[in-house]
Coordinates of all heavy atoms in Angstrom, one line a residue:
M1402 N 130.2 48.8 284.4 CA 128.9 48.9 283.6 C 128.1 50.0 284.1 O 127.5 50.8 283.3 CB 128.2 47.5 283.6 CG 126.8 47.6 283.0 SD 126.7 47.5 281.2 CE 126.1 45.8 281.0
K1403 N 127.9 50.1 285.4 CA 127.0 51.1 285.9 C 127.5 52.5 285.7 O 126.7 53.5 285.7 CB 126.6 50.9 287.4 CG 127.7 51.1 288.4 CD 127.1 50.9 289.9 CE 128.0 51.3 291.0 NZ 129.2 50.5 291.2
N1404 N 128.8 52.7 285.4 CA 129.4 54.1 285.1 C 129.6 54.3 283.6 O 130.1 55.2 283.2 CB 130.7 54.2 285.8 CG 130.6 54.2 287.3 OD1 129.7 54.7 287.8 ND2 131.6 53.6 287.9
E1405 N 129.0 53.3 282.8 CA 129.1 53.4 281.3 C 127.8 53.4 280.7 O 127.2 52.4 280.3 CB 129.9 52.2 280.9 CG 131.4 52.2 281.4 CD 132.2 53.3 280.9 OE1 131.9 54.0 279.9 OE2 133.3 53.6 281.5
P1406 N 127.2 54.7 280.5 CA 125.8 54.8 279.9 C 125.8 54.2 278.5 O 124.8 53.6 278.2 CB 125.6 56.3 279.9 CG 126.7 57.0 280.4 CD 127.8 56.0 280.9
H1407 N 126.9 54.3 277.7 CA 126.8 53.8 276.4 C 126.6 52.2 276.5 O 125.9 51.6 275.7 CB 128.2 54.1 275.7 CG 128.2 55.5 275.2 ND1 129.4 56.1 274.8 CD2 127.4 56.5 275.1 CE1 129.2 57.3 274.6 NE2 128.0 57.5 274.8
M1408 N 127.3 51.6 277.4 CA 127.2 50.2 277.5 C 125.8 49.7 278.0 O 125.3 48.7 277.5 CB 128.2 49.6 278.5 CG 129.7 49.7 277.8 SD 130.7 48.5 278.4 CE 132.2 49.4 278.5
R1409 N 125.2 50.5 278.9 CA 123.8 50.1 279.3 C 122.9 50.4 278.2 O 122.0 49.5 277.9 CB 123.4 51.1 280.4 CG 124.0 50.8 281.8 CD 123.1 51.2 282.9 NE 122.8 52.6 282.9 CZ 123.7 53.5 283.4 NH1 124.7 53.1 284.0 NH2 123.4 54.8 283.3
M1410 N 123.2 51.3 277.3 CA 122.4 51.5 276.0 C 122.5 50.3 275.1 O 121.5 49.7 274.6 CB 122.8 52.7 275.3 CG 121.8 53.2 274.3 SD 122.5 54.6 273.4 CE 123.7 53.9 272.5
H1411 N 123.7 49.8 275.0 CA 124.0 48.7 274.1 C 123.3 47.5 274.6 O 122.9 46.6 273.9 CB 125.4 48.5 273.8 CG 126.1 49.6 273.0 ND1 125.6 50.1 271.9 CD2 127.3 50.4 273.2 CE1 126.3 51.1 271.3 NE2 127.3 51.2 272.1
L1412 N 123.4 47.3 275.9 CA 122.8 46.1 276.5 C 121.3 46.1 276.3 O 120.7 45.1 276.0 CB 123.1 46.0 278.0 CG 122.5 44.9 278.8 CD1 123.1 43.6 278.3 CD2 122.7 45.0 280.3
G1413 N 120.7 47.3 276.5 CA 119.3 47.4 276.3 C 118.9 47.1 274.8 O 117.9 46.3 274.6
A1414 N 119.6 47.6 273.9 CA 119.4 47.4 272.5 C 119.6 46.0 272.1 O 118.7 45.4 271.4 CB 120.3 48.3 271.6
A1415 N 120.6 45.3 272.7 CA 120.9 43.8 272.5 C 119.7 43.0 273.0 O 119.2 42.1 272.2 CB 122.1 43.5 273.2
I1416 N 119.2 43.4 274.2 CA 118.0 42.6 274.7 C 116.9 42.7 273.8 O 116.1 41.6 273.4 CB 117.6 43.0 276.1 CG1 118.8 42.5 277.0 CG2 116.3 42.5 276.5 CD1 118.7 43.1 278.5
I1417 N 116.6 44.0 273.2 CA 115.4 44.1 272.4 C 115.5 43.4 271.0 O 114.6 42.7 270.5 CB 115.2 45.7 272.2 CG1 114.7 46.3 273.3 CG2 114.2 45.9 271.0 CD1 114.8 47.9 273.4
V1418 N 116.8 43.5 270.5 CA 116.9 42.8 269.2 C 116.9 41.3 269.3 O 116.3 40.6 268.5 CB 118.4 43.2 268.7 CG1 118.8 42.3 267.5 CG2 118.3 44.6 268.2
L1419 N 117.5 40.7 270.4 CA 117.4 39.3 270.6 C 116.0 38.8 270.9 O 115.6 37.7 270.4 CB 118.4 38.9 271.8 CG 119.9 39.1 271.5 CD1 120.7 38.7 272.7 CD2 120.3 38.3 270.2
A1420 N 115.2 39.6 271.6 CA 113.8 39.3 272.0 C 113.0 39.3 270.6 O 112.1 38.4 270.3 CB 113.2 40.3 272.9
A1421 N 113.3 40.2 269.7 CA 112.6 40.3 268.4 C 113.0 39.1 267.6 O 112.1 38.5 266.9 CB 113.0 41.7 267.7
A1422 N 114.3 38.7 267.7 CA 114.6 37.7 266.8 C 114.0 36.3 267.3 O 113.5 35.5 266.5 CB 116.2 37.4 267.0
A1423 N 113.8 36.2 268.6 CA 113.0 35.1 269.3 C 111.7 35.1 268.8 O 111.0 34.0 268.4 CB 113.3 35.1 270.8
W1424 N 111.0 36.3 268.9 CA 109.6 36.5 268.5 C 109.3 36.1 267.0 O 108.3 35.5 266.7 CB 109.2 37.9 268.9 CG 107.8 38.1 268.5 CD1 106.6 37.6 268.9 CD2 107.4 39.2 267.5 NE1 105.6 38.2 268.3 CE2 106.0 39.2 267.5 CE3 108.1 40.2 266.8 CZ2 105.2 40.0 266.7 CZ3 107.4 40.9 265.9 CH2 105.9 41.0 265.9
L1425 N 110.3 36.4 266.1 CA 110.1 36.2 264.8 C 110.5 34.8 264.3 O 110.3 34.5 263.2 CB 110.9 37.2 264.0 CG 110.5 38.7 264.1 CD1 111.5 39.6 263.7 CD2 109.2 38.9 263.5
K1426 N 111.0 34.0 265.4 CA 111.5 32.7 265.1 C 112.5 32.6 263.8 O 112.2 32.0 262.9 CB 110.4 31.8 264.8 CG 109.4 31.6 266.1 CD 108.4 30.5 265.8 CE 107.6 30.1 267.0 NZ 106.9 31.1 267.7
L1427 N 113.6 33.5 264.0 CA 114.4 33.6 262.9 C 115.2 32.3 262.7 O 115.4 31.5 263.6 CB 115.5 34.6 263.3 CG 115.2 36.1 263.2 CD1 116.5 37.0 263.4 CD2 114.5 36.5 261.9
P1428 N 115.5 32.0 261.3 CA 116.3 30.7 261.0 C 117.7 31.0 261.6 O 118.1 32.1 262.0 CB 116.2 30.7 259.6 CG 115.9 32.1 259.1 CD 115.1 32.8 260.1
I1429 N 118.5 29.9 261.6 CA 119.8 30.0 262.2 C 120.7 31.1 261.5 O 121.5 31.8 262.2 CB 120.5 28.7 262.2 CG1 121.8 28.6 263.0 CG2 120.7 28.1 260.8 CD1 121.7 28.7 264.4
E1430 N 120.6 31.2 260.2 CA 121.4 32.2 259.5 C 121.2 33.7 260.1 O 122.0 34.4 260.3 CB 121.1 32.2 258.0 CG 121.5 31.0 257.3 CD 120.5 29.8 257.5 OE1 119.3 30.1 257.9 OE2 120.7 28.6 257.0
G1431 N 119.7 33.9 260.3 CA 119.4 35.2 260.8 C 120.0 35.4 262.3 O 120.5 36.5 262.5
W1432 N 120.0 34.4 263.1 CA 120.6 34.5 264.5 C 122.1 34.8 264.3 O 122.6 35.5 265.1 CB 120.4 33.2 265.2 CG 119.0 33.1 265.9 CD1 117.9 32.5 265.4 CD2 118.7 33.9 267.1 NE1 116.8 32.8 266.3 CE2 117.3 33.5 267.3 CE3 119.4 34.6 268.0 CZ2 116.6 34.0 268.5 CZ3 118.7 35.1 269.1 CH2 117.4 34.7 269.4
L1433 N 122.8 34.1 263.4 CA 124.2 34.3 263.2 C 124.6 35.7 262.9 O 125.5 36.3 263.5 CB 124.8 33.3 262.2 CG 124.8 31.8 262.6 CD1 125.3 30.9 261.4 CD2 125.7 31.6 263.9
W1434 N 123.8 36.3 262.0 CA 124.0 37.7 261.6 C 123.7 38.7 262.8 O 124.5 39.5 263.1 CB 123.1 38.2 260.4 CG 123.6 37.6 259.1 CD1 123.1 36.7 258.4 CD2 124.8 38.1 258.4 NE1 123.7 36.5 257.2 CE2 124.9 37.3 257.2 CE3 125.7 39.0 258.6 CZ2 125.9 37.5 256.3 CZ3 126.7 39.2 257.7 CH2 126.8 38.5 256.5
I1435 N 122.6 38.4 263.5 CA 122.3 39.3 264.6 C 123.4 39.2 265.8 O 123.7 40.2 266.3 CB 120.9 38.9 265.2 CG1 119.7 39.1 264.2 CG2 120.6 39.6 266.5 CD1 119.5 40.6 264.0
L1436 N 123.7 38.0 266.0 CA 124.8 37.7 267.1 C 126.1 38.5 266.6 O 126.8 39.0 267.5 CB 124.9 36.3 267.3 CG 123.8 35.6 268.1 CD1 124.0 34.0 268.2 CD2 123.7 36.2 269.5
S1437 N 126.4 38.4 265.4 CA 127.7 39.0 264.9 C 127.5 40.6 265.1 O 128.6 41.2 265.5 CB 127.9 38.6 263.5 OG 127.3 39.5 262.6
A1438 N 126.3 41.0 264.8 CA 126.1 42.4 264.9 C 126.3 43.0 266.4 O 126.9 43.9 266.8 CB 124.8 42.9 264.4
V1439 N 125.6 42.2 267.3 CA 125.7 42.5 268.7 C 127.1 42.4 269.2 O 127.6 43.2 270.0 CB 124.7 41.6 269.6 CG1 124.9 41.6 271.0 CG2 123.3 41.8 269.2
A1440 N 127.8 41.3 268.8 CA 129.2 41.2 269.2 C 130.0 42.3 268.8 O 130.9 42.8 269.6 CB 129.7 39.8 268.9
A1441 N 129.8 42.7 267.5 CA 130.7 43.8 267.0 C 130.6 45.0 267.7 O 131.5 45.7 268.1 CB 130.3 44.0 265.5
V1442 N 129.4 45.4 268.2 CA 129.1 46.6 268.9 C 129.8 46.5 270.3 O 130.4 47.4 270.7 CB 127.6 47.0 269.1 CG1 127.4 48.1 269.9 CG2 127.1 47.3 267.6
W1443 N 129.5 45.3 271.0 CA 130.0 45.1 272.3 C 131.6 45.1 272.3 O 132.2 45.8 273.2 CB 129.5 43.8 272.9 CG 128.3 44.0 273.7 CD1 127.0 44.1 273.1 CD2 128.0 44.4 275.0 NE1 126.0 44.5 274.0 CE2 126.7 44.7 275.2 CE3 129.0 44.6 276.0 CZ2 126.2 45.0 276.5 CZ3 128.5 44.9 277.3 CH2 127.0 45.1 277.5
V1444 N 132.2 44.4 271.3 CA 133.6 44.3 271.3 C 134.2 45.8 271.1 O 135.1 46.1 271.8 CB 134.1 43.4 270.4 CG1 135.6 43.5 270.1 CG2 133.8 42.0 270.7
T1445 N 133.7 46.5 270.1 CA 134.2 47.8 269.9 C 134.0 48.8 271.0 O 134.9 49.6 271.4 CB 133.7 48.4 268.6 OG1 132.3 48.3 268.6 CG2 134.3 47.6 267.3
E1446 N 132.9 48.7 271.7 CA 132.5 49.6 272.7 C 133.4 49.3 274.0 O 134.0 50.3 274.6 CB 131.0 49.5 273.2 CG 130.6 50.5 274.2 CD 130.6 51.8 273.7 OE1 129.9 52.3 272.8 OE2 131.4 52.7 274.3
L1447 N 133.7 48.0 274.2 CA 134.6 47.7 275.4 C 136.0 48.2 275.1 O 136.7 48.8 275.9 CB 134.6 46.2 275.6 CG 133.4 45.6 276.2 CD1 133.3 44.0 276.2 CD2 133.3 46.0 277.7
L1448 N 136.5 48.0 273.8 CA 137.8 48.4 273.4 C 137.9 49.9 273.4 O 138.9 50.6 273.8 CB 138.1 47.9 272.1 CG 138.5 46.3 271.9 CD1 138.6 45.9 270.5 CD2 139.7 46.1 272.8
N1449 N 136.8 50.7 273.0 CA 136.7 52.1 273.1 C 136.9 52.6 274.5 O 137.7 53.5 274.9 CB 135.5 52.6 272.5 CG 135.3 54.1 272.4 OD1 136.3 54.8 272.0 ND2 134.2 54.6 272.9
T1450 N 136.2 51.9 275.5 CA 136.3 52.3 276.9 C 137.7 52.0 277.4 O 138.3 52.9 278.1 CB 135.4 51.4 277.7 OG1 134.0 51.7 277.2 CG2 135.4 51.8 279.2
A1451 N 138.3 50.9 276.9 CA 139.7 50.7 277.3 C 140.7 51.8 276.8 O 141.5 52.3 277.7 CB 140.2 49.3 276.9
V1452 N 140.5 52.2 275.5 CA 141.3 53.2 275.0 C 141.1 54.5 275.7 O 142.0 55.2 276.1 CB 141.0 53.4 273.5 CG1 141.7 54.6 273.0 CG2 141.6 52.2 272.7
E1453 N 139.8 54.9 276.0 CA 139.5 56.1 276.6 C 140.2 56.2 278.0 O 140.9 57.3 278.4 CB 138.0 56.3 276.8 CG 137.3 56.8 275.6 CD 135.8 56.9 275.8 OE1 135.3 56.6 276.9 OE2 135.1 57.3 274.9
R1454 N 140.1 55.1 278.8 CA 140.6 55.2 280.2 C 142.1 55.2 280.1 O 142.8 55.8 280.9 CB 140.1 53.9 280.9 CG 138.6 53.9 281.1 CD 138.1 55.1 281.9 NE 136.6 55.1 282.0 CZ 135.9 55.8 281.1 NH1 136.5 56.6 280.1 NH2 134.6 55.8 281.1
A1455 N 142.7 54.4 279.1 CA 144.2 54.3 279.1 C 144.7 55.6 278.7 O 145.8 56.1 279.2 CB 144.6 53.3 278.1
V1456 N 144.1 56.3 277.7 CA 144.5 57.7 277.3 C 144.4 58.6 278.4 O 145.4 59.5 278.6 CB 143.7 58.0 275.9 CG1 144.0 59.6 275.7 CG2 144.1 57.3 274.8
D1457 N 143.3 58.6 279.2 CA 143.1 59.6 280.3 C 144.2 59.4 281.3 O 144.7 60.3 281.9 CB 141.7 59.4 280.9 CG 140.5 59.9 280.0 OD1 140.9 60.7 279.1 OD2 139.4 59.6 280.3
L1458 N 144.6 58.1 281.5 CA 145.6 57.7 282.4 C 147.0 58.3 281.9 O 147.8 58.9 282.7 CB 145.7 56.2 282.7 CG 146.5 55.7 283.8 CD1 146.1 56.2 285.1 CD2 146.6 54.2 283.7
A1459 N 147.3 58.0 280.7 CA 148.6 58.4 280.1 C 148.8 59.8 279.8 O 149.8 60.4 279.8 CB 149.0 57.5 278.9
S1460 N 147.6 60.4 279.4 CA 147.7 61.8 278.9 C 146.6 62.6 279.4 O 145.6 63.0 278.6 CB 147.7 61.8 277.4 OG 147.7 63.2 276.9
P1461 N 146.5 63.0 280.7 CA 145.4 63.8 281.3 C 145.3 65.1 280.6 O 144.2 65.7 280.5 CB 145.7 63.9 282.8 CG 146.8 63.0 283.0 CD 147.6 62.7 281.7
D1462 N 146.4 65.7 280.3 CA 146.4 67.0 279.5 C 146.1 66.8 278.1 O 146.4 65.8 277.4 CB 147.7 67.7 279.8 CG 148.0 68.0 281.2 OD1 147.0 68.3 282.0 OD2 149.2 68.0 281.6
S1463 N 145.7 67.9 277.4 CA 145.4 67.9 276.0 C 146.6 67.5 275.2 O 147.6 68.1 275.4 CB 144.9 69.2 275.5 OG 144.4 69.1 274.3
N1464 N 146.4 66.6 274.3 CA 147.5 66.2 273.5 C 147.0 65.6 272.1 O 146.0 65.0 272.1 CB 148.2 65.1 274.2 CG 149.4 64.5 273.4 OD1 149.2 63.8 272.4 ND2 150.5 64.7 273.9
H1465 N 147.7 66.0 271.0 CA 147.1 65.6 269.6 C 147.0 64.1 269.5 O 146.0 63.6 269.0 CB 148.1 66.2 268.6 CG 147.6 65.8 267.2 ND1 146.5 66.1 266.7 CD2 148.2 65.0 266.3 CE1 146.2 65.6 265.4 NE2 147.4 64.9 265.2
L1466 N 148.0 63.4 270.0 CA 148.0 61.9 269.8 C 146.9 61.4 270.6 O 146.3 60.3 270.3 CB 149.4 61.3 270.2 CG 150.5 61.6 269.3 CD1 151.8 61.0 269.8 CD2 150.3 61.1 267.9
A1467 N 146.6 61.9 271.8 CA 145.5 61.4 272.7 C 144.2 61.6 271.9 O 143.4 60.7 272.0 CB 145.4 62.1 273.9
K1468 N 144.0 62.7 271.3 CA 142.8 63.1 270.5 C 142.7 61.9 269.3 O 141.6 61.4 269.1 CB 142.9 64.5 269.9 CG 141.6 64.7 269.1 CD 141.6 66.2 268.8 CE 140.4 66.6 267.8 NZ 139.1 66.1 268.3
V1469 N 143.7 61.7 268.6 CA 143.7 60.8 267.4 C 143.4 59.4 268.0 O 142.5 58.7 267.4 CB 145.0 60.8 266.7 CG1 145.1 59.6 265.7 CG2 145.3 62.1 266.1
A1470 N 143.9 59.0 269.1 CA 143.6 57.6 269.6 C 142.2 57.6 270.0 O 141.4 56.5 269.7 CB 144.5 57.3 270.8
K1471 N 141.7 58.5 270.7 CA 140.2 58.5 271.2 C 139.3 58.5 270.0 O 138.3 57.8 269.9 CB 139.9 59.6 272.1 CG 140.4 59.4 273.5 CD 139.7 60.4 274.5 CE 140.1 60.0 275.9 NZ 139.4 60.9 276.8
D1472 N 139.6 59.4 269.0 CA 138.7 59.6 267.9 C 138.7 58.3 267.0 O 137.7 57.9 266.5 CB 139.1 60.8 267.1 CG 138.8 62.1 267.8 OD1 138.0 62.0 268.8 OD2 139.1 63.2 267.3
A1473 N 139.8 57.6 266.9 CA 139.9 56.4 266.2 C 139.1 55.3 266.9 O 138.3 54.6 266.2 CB 141.3 55.9 266.0
A1474 N 139.2 55.3 268.1 CA 138.5 54.2 268.9 C 136.9 54.5 268.8 O 136.2 53.5 268.6 CB 138.9 54.2 270.4
A1475 N 136.5 55.7 268.9 CA 135.2 56.1 268.7 C 134.7 55.8 267.3 O 133.6 55.4 267.1 CB 135.0 57.6 269.0
G1476 N 135.6 56.0 266.3 CA 135.3 55.7 264.8 C 135.0 54.2 264.8 O 134.1 53.8 264.0
A1477 N 135.7 53.4 265.4 CA 135.5 51.9 265.3 C 134.1 51.5 265.9 O 133.4 50.8 265.3 CB 136.5 51.2 266.2
V1478 N 133.7 52.3 266.9 CA 132.3 51.9 267.5 C 131.2 52.4 266.5 O 130.2 51.7 266.2 CB 132.1 52.8 268.9 CG1 130.6 52.5 269.3 CG2 133.1 52.2 269.9
L1479 N 131.6 53.5 265.8 CA 130.6 54.1 264.8 C 130.4 53.1 263.6 O 129.3 52.8 263.2 CB 131.1 55.4 264.3 CG 130.1 56.1 263.2 CD1 128.8 56.3 263.7 CD2 130.7 57.3 262.7
V1480 N 131.5 52.5 263.2 CA 131.5 51.6 262.1 C 130.8 50.3 262.4 O 129.9 49.9 261.8 CB 133.0 51.2 261.6 CG1 133.0 50.0 260.7 CG2 133.7 52.5 261.0
A1481 N 131.0 49.8 263.6 CA 130.2 48.6 264.2 C 128.7 49.0 264.3 O 127.9 48.1 264.0 CB 130.8 48.1 265.6
S1482 N 128.4 50.2 264.7 CA 127.1 50.6 265.0 C 126.4 50.6 263.5 O 125.2 50.2 263.4 CB 126.9 51.9 265.6 OG 127.5 51.8 266.9
L1483 N 127.0 51.1 262.6 CA 126.4 51.2 261.2 C 126.2 49.7 260.6 O 125.2 49.5 260.0 CB 127.2 52.1 260.3 CG 127.4 53.5 260.6 CD1 128.4 54.2 259.7 CD2 126.0 54.2 260.5
Y1484 N 127.2 48.9 260.9 CA 127.1 47.5 260.5 C 125.9 46.9 261.1 O 125.1 46.3 260.5 CB 128.4 46.8 260.9 CG 128.4 45.3 260.7 CD1 128.5 44.6 259.5 CD2 128.3 44.5 261.9 CE1 128.5 43.2 259.4 CE2 128.3 43.2 261.8 CZ 128.3 42.6 260.6 OH 128.5 41.1 260.4
S1485 N 125.7 47.1 262.4 CA 124.6 46.6 263.2 C 123.2 47.0 262.7 O 122.3 46.3 262.6 CB 124.8 46.9 264.6 OG 125.9 46.2 265.2
A1486 N 123.2 48.3 262.4 CA 122.0 48.9 262.0 C 121.6 48.3 260.6 O 120.4 47.9 260.4 CB 122.1 50.4 261.7
A1487 N 122.6 48.1 259.8 CA 122.3 47.5 258.4 C 121.8 46.1 258.6 O 120.9 45.6 257.9 CB 123.6 47.5 257.5
I1488 N 122.5 45.3 259.4 CA 122.1 43.9 259.7 C 120.6 44.0 260.3 O 119.8 43.1 259.8 CB 123.0 43.2 260.8 CG1 124.4 43.1 260.2 CG2 122.5 41.8 261.1 CD1 124.7 42.2 259.1
G1489 N 120.3 44.8 261.2 CA 119.0 44.8 261.8 C 117.9 45.1 260.7 O 116.9 44.4 260.7
V1490 N 118.3 46.0 259.8 CA 117.2 46.4 258.8 C 117.0 45.1 257.8 O 115.9 44.7 257.5 CB 117.6 47.6 258.0 CG1 116.7 47.8 256.9 CG2 117.5 48.8 258.9
L1491 N 118.2 44.6 257.4 CA 118.1 43.5 256.4 C 117.6 42.2 257.0 O 117.0 41.5 256.3 CB 119.6 43.3 255.9 CG 120.2 44.4 255.0 CD1 121.6 44.2 254.6 CD2 119.3 44.6 253.7
V1492 N 117.9 41.9 258.2 CA 117.5 40.6 258.7 C 116.1 40.6 259.4 O 115.4 39.8 259.3 CB 118.7 40.0 259.7 CG1 118.2 38.8 260.5 CG2 119.9 39.8 259.0
L1493 N 115.9 41.8 260.3 CA 114.6 41.8 261.0 C 113.6 42.6 260.1 O 112.4 42.2 260.4 CB 114.9 42.6 262.2 CG 115.8 42.0 263.3 CD1 116.0 42.9 264.5 CD2 115.3 40.6 263.8
G1494 N 114.0 43.4 259.2 CA 112.9 44.2 258.4 C 111.9 43.3 257.7 O 110.8 43.4 258.0
P1495 N 112.4 42.4 256.8 CA 111.4 41.6 256.1 C 110.4 40.9 257.0 O 109.2 40.9 256.8 CB 112.2 40.7 255.2 CG 113.5 41.5 255.1 CD 113.7 42.2 256.4
P1496 N 110.9 40.1 258.0 CA 109.9 39.3 258.8 C 109.0 40.2 259.6 O 107.8 39.9 259.8 CB 110.7 38.5 259.6 CG 112.2 38.9 259.6 CD 112.3 39.6 258.3
I1497 N 109.5 41.3 260.0 CA 108.6 42.3 260.8 C 107.5 42.8 259.8 O 106.3 42.9 260.2 CB 109.4 43.5 261.4 CG1 110.2 42.9 262.7 CG2 108.5 44.5 261.8 CD1 111.2 44.0 263.3
W1498 N 107.9 43.2 258.6 CA 107.0 43.7 257.6 C 105.9 42.6 257.3 O 104.7 43.0 257.3 CB 107.9 44.0 256.3 CG 106.9 44.6 255.3 CD1 106.2 44.1 254.4 CD2 106.7 46.0 255.1 NE1 105.5 44.9 253.5 CE2 105.8 46.2 254.0 CE3 107.2 47.2 255.8 CZ2 105.4 47.4 253.6 CZ3 106.8 48.5 255.3 CH2 105.9 48.6 254.2
D1499 N 106.4 41.3 257.2 CA 105.4 40.3 257.0 C 104.4 40.2 258.2 O 103.2 40.0 257.9 CB 106.1 39.0 256.9 CG 106.5 38.7 255.5 OD1 106.3 39.6 254.6 OD2 107.2 37.6 255.2
R1500 N 104.9 40.3 259.4 CA 104.0 40.1 260.5 C 103.0 41.2 260.5 O 101.9 41.0 260.9 CB 104.8 40.2 261.8 CG 105.7 39.0 262.1 CD 104.9 38.0 263.0 NE 105.8 36.8 263.1 CZ 105.8 36.2 264.3 NH1 105.0 36.5 265.3 NH2 106.5 35.0 264.3
L1501 N 103.5 42.5 260.2 CA 102.6 43.6 260.4 C 101.6 43.7 259.1 O 100.4 44.1 259.4 CB 103.5 44.9 260.3 CG 104.3 45.0 261.6 CD1 105.1 46.3 261.7 CD2 103.5 45.0 262.9
F1502 N 102.2 43.5 257.9 CA 101.3 43.8 256.8 C 101.0 42.5 255.9 O 100.4 42.6 254.9 CB 102.0 44.8 255.9 CG 102.3 46.1 256.7 CD1 103.6 46.5 256.9 CD2 101.3 46.8 257.1 CE1 103.9 47.6 257.7 CE2 101.6 48.1 257.9 CZ 102.9 48.4 258.1
G1503 N 101.7 41.5 256.2 CA 101.5 40.2 255.5 C 100.1 39.6 255.6 O 99.4 39.9 256.5
G1504 N 99.7 38.7 254.7 CA 98.4 38.2 254.7 C 98.2 37.1 255.7 O 98.9 36.8 256.6
Ligands
ATP538 N1 143.8 64.2 276.4 C1 143.1 64.7 275.3 N2 143.9 65.4 274.4 C2 143.2 65.8 273.3 N3 141.9 65.6 273.0 C3 141.1 64.9 273.8 C4 141.8 64.3 275.0 N4 140.8 63.7 275.6 C5 139.7 63.7 274.8 N5 139.9 64.4 273.7 C6 139.0 64.7 272.6 O1 137.9 65.4 273.1 C7 136.7 65.0 272.6 C8 135.8 64.6 273.7 O2 136.4 63.6 274.5 P1 135.9 63.1 275.9 O3 137.1 62.6 276.7 O4 135.1 64.3 276.5 O5 134.9 62.1 275.6 P2 135.4 60.6 275.4 O6 136.6 60.3 276.3 O7 135.7 60.4 273.8 O8 134.1 59.8 275.9 P3 133.5 59.7 277.3 O9 132.6 60.9 277.5 O10 132.7 58.4 277.4 O11 134.6 59.7 278.3 C9 137.1 63.9 271.5 O12 137.2 64.4 270.3 C10 138.4 63.5 272.1 O13 139.3 63.0 271.0

């Protein structure tokens, strides 16, 4: 973890999102969506790290297949991140808006 800046960033983001969910007293459905989003990012980031390290081990020199493998794994993290951003906006957006501008 200490050598993986992306993972530290995801840990920080997860702590902030979970704290916001607690502060907003989200219903159980909201928690399930948020937890699925956090897990999606963590699982894909861990698998991406595994692919990166395995590819570096197997193919230290430049290789087209190594590039395809790394780019596909990074693409999975991107998809999970977009999913998480959408969940964050849809689940946290309305209650935050209510707190800030509601009556
Ligand atoms: N052995 C390789 N052969 C061909 N392309 C590679 C190889 N290793 C990395 N690349 C490509 O170079 C770009 C940058 O990869 P790089 O290894 O610097 O970062 P990363 O491994 O994706 O992430 P990190 O910086 O976390 O190690 C990516 O597009 C990747 O696909």
Side-chain angles (χ1 to χ4, degrees):
M1402 171 83 108
K1403 68 177 190 291
N1404 295 323
E1405 297 294 342
H1407 289 164
M1408 289 209 218
R1409 282 207 303 276
M1410 192 187 73
H1411 291 312
L1412 179 63
I1416 288 171
I1417 290 169
V1418 166
L1419 294 175
W1424 175 60
L1425 294 166
K1426 298 187 172 57
L1427 284 188
I1429 188 71
E1430 295 82 11
W1432 276 99
L1433 293 175
W1434 282 110
I1435 295 289
L1436 288 172
S1437 80
V1439 169
V1442 171
W1443 270 87
V1444 167
T1445 51
E1446 186 64 64
L1447 287 166
L1448 289 174
N1449 181 47
T1450 300
V1452 168
E1453 282 179 357
R1454 296 299 172 268
V1456 166
D1457 287 344
L1458 188 64
S1460 176
D1462 297 328
S1463 185
N1464 180 289
H1465 175 66
L1466 291 177
K1468 178 173 175 52
V1469 171
K1471 280 194 176 185
D1472 290 350
V1478 178
L1479 178 63
V1480 170
S1482 300
L1483 292 174
Y1484 169 77
S1485 293
I1488 297 292
V1490 169
L1491 292 172
V1492 174
L1493 295 177
I1497 287 177
W1498 185 272
D1499 272 359
R1500 290 267 176 144
L1501 294 178
F1502 305 112

